[in-house]
Amino acid sequence: MDPIGETLAVVFHINSQDDNSRSITLANVANLLDDTGDQAQVEVVFNGPAVVHLLKQSSSASQIRDLAHRGVLFVACANSLRAQNLSASDLLAEVKIVPAGVTHLVRRQQEGWAYIHP
């Protein structure tokens, strides 16, 4: 728990298909959860070419499932999915689809969520 007793709300953003970017971001998420005792409210938004990391056969599927079980919400941009001819059935069950990833990020920031884009 945060020392001042407030739950942290953090939205991470991944927009690159680069495995290193994805790996760093997911490690940052795990570190945040470890440090807060899984008490942080965390979302990871994938848009652009990064949505491929959310596919069922993705190399990060196991890590995403593990983090989802710790309370992390994984979000995919519907516009990005359409642009890559992907559908909800291609994605891991743990993924929520929003109409526009950028709009979701803006809303979270307006709601006071910390924004992290490693």
Side-chain angles (χ1 to χ4, degrees), residues 6-79:
E6 296 179 18
T7 299
L8 300 174
V10 184
V11 61
F12 288 83
H13 181 201
I14 302 176
N15 63 351
S16 170
Q17 190 173 347
D18 177 61
D19 284 334
N20 190 50
S21 175
R22 183 240 339 126
S23 178
I24 289 169
T25 302
L26 296 181
N28 284 337
V29 170
N31 290 340
L32 174 66
L33 293 174
D34 290 345
D35 190 48
T36 63
D38 287 0
Q39 295 304 305
Q41 188 174 359
V42 180
E43 291 184 4
V44 185
V45 177
F46 293 74
N47 72 327
V51 295
V52 299
H53 296 300
L54 298 171
L55 297 174
K56 291 175 182 173
Q57 71 274 17
S58 167
S59 62
S60 55
S62 176
Q63 189 176 20
I64 288 171
R65 284 187 189 105
D66 290 345
L67 289 170
H69 288 288
R70 294 179 71 181
V72 176
L73 177 64
F74 289 89
V75 178
C77 170
N79 291 328

